[in-house]
């Protein structure tokens, strides 16, 4: 009987896996040094292109005043009376939240402490899909201009018509100011 010569399959697989891991770690180390700004470690000379640009930016103390207002529709509060499909309302609210956020952002720019929750209700015509009435049900947002802007924005919405009568929709939104973290 002839004896087999060479390595077993297990040894070949283990050596291949070891070589792969060592190669991956070596590549990761090289990438680390390139990213850290010392590419000479791996024998690569850096190429640097300097572009100068002067920009004047209005600054405010970082981390002290809100840079951005987040308007978050609370999907769990969505209530629909009528035949309007919930997914069409959810999609509309998601699509329009940025225009609603603009209402909040304009108020936040004037009052950095502005935050809270607003509960809105609107009626959608079953024949046309247009919002025919909208109002705030409950709120702790002290800025009437922001509240009116949100309600007026909702009054311009157009959803799918159901041809099955009007639908009444209620949902809440959370308005939160976000500030940059201090850089120190």
């Amino acid at each position: 009987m002839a004896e087999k010569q060479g390595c077993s399959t297990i040894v070949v697989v283990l050596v291949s896996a070891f070589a792969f891991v060592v190669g991956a770690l070596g590549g990761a180390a090289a990438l680390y040094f390139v990213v850290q700004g010392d590419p000479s470690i791996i024998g690569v000379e850096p190429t640097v292109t300097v572009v100068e640009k002067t920009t004047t930016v209005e600054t405010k103390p970082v981390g002290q005043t809100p840079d951005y207002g987040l308007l978050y529709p609370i999907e769990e509060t969505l209530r629909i009376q009528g035949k309007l499909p919930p997914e069409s309302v959810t999609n509309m609210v998601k699509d329009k939240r940025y225009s609603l956020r603009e209402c909040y952002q304009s108020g936040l720019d004037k009052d950095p402490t502005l935050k809270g929750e607003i509960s809105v209700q609107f009626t959608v015509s079953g024949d046309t899909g247009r919002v025919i009435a909208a109002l705030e049900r409950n709120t702790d947002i002290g800025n009437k201009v922001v509240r009116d802007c949100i309600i007026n924005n909702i009054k311009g919405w157009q959803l799918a018509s159901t041809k099955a009568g009007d639908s009444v929709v209620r949902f809440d939104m959370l308005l939160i100011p976000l500030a940059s973290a201090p850089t120190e």
Side-chain angles (χ1 to χ4, degrees), residues 69-133:
L70 176 66
L71 186 138
Y72 178 74
I74 305 170
E75 290 184 45
E76 294 80 18
T77 64
L78 179 64
R79 302 287 180 262
I80 301 172
Q81 294 173 332
K83 300 292 184 185
L84 197 60
E87 61 276 358
S88 69
V89 177
T90 302
N91 291 338
M92 177 61 73
V93 172
K94 286 179 180 178
D95 288 345
K96 298 295 186 177
R97 72 175 175 242
Y98 296 107
S99 61
L100 294 173
R101 190 196 69 79
E102 289 174 9
C103 295
Y104 175 44
Q105 188 67 47
S106 67
L108 191 59
D109 289 342
K110 295 177 179 80
D111 177 7
T113 64
L114 184 63
K115 63 182 176 182
E117 192 172 324
I118 184 171
S119 177
V120 297
Q121 176 177 313
F122 57 94
T123 304
V124 179
S125 167
D127 293 331
T128 65
R130 298 195 60 76
V131 172
I132 54 177

Side-chain angles (χ1 to χ4, degrees), residues 54 59 76 83 85 116 176 178:
T54 305
T59 60
E76 294 80 18
K83 300 292 184 185
I176 306 169
L178 300 177

Side-chain angles (χ1 to χ4, degrees), residues 8-152:
S8 72
T9 307
I10 294 174
V11 172
V12 170
V13 169
L14 289 174
V15 170
S16 298
F18 178 74
F20 176 77
V21 169
V22 169
L25 290 175
L31 179 61
Y32 172 79
F33 289 117
V34 169
V35 169
Q36 292 299 317
D38 190 6
S40 62
I41 274 242
I42 58 169
V44 176
E45 290 302 317
T47 305
V48 177
T49 305
V50 177
V51 177
E52 291 188 31
K53 182 178 178 182
T54 305
T55 306
T56 304
V57 178
E58 181 182 325
T59 60
K60 55 187 173 184
V62 176
Q64 294 178 1
T65 58
D67 297 321
Y68 183 78
L70 176 66
L71 186 138
Y72 178 74
I74 305 170
E75 290 184 45
E76 294 80 18
T77 64
L78 179 64
R79 302 287 180 262
I80 301 172
Q81 294 173 332
K83 300 292 184 185
L84 197 60
E87 61 276 358
S88 69
V89 177
T90 302
N91 291 338
M92 177 61 73
V93 172
K94 286 179 180 178
D95 288 345
K96 298 295 186 177
R97 72 175 175 242
Y98 296 107
S99 61
L100 294 173
R101 190 196 69 79
E102 289 174 9
C103 295
Y104 175 44
Q105 188 67 47
S106 67
L108 191 59
D109 289 342
K110 295 177 179 80
D111 177 7
T113 64
L114 184 63
K115 63 182 176 182
E117 192 172 324
I118 184 171
S119 177
V120 297
Q121 176 177 313
F122 57 94
T123 304
V124 179
S125 167
D127 293 331
T128 65
R130 298 195 60 76
V131 172
I132 54 177
L135 57 94
E136 66 180 78
R137 291 189 46 89
N138 192 9
T139 186
D140 59 359
I141 306 295
N143 187 315
K144 183 169 174 31
V145 173
V146 170
R147 295 189 324 254
D148 289 347
C149 179
I150 289 171
I151 295 302
N152 288 331

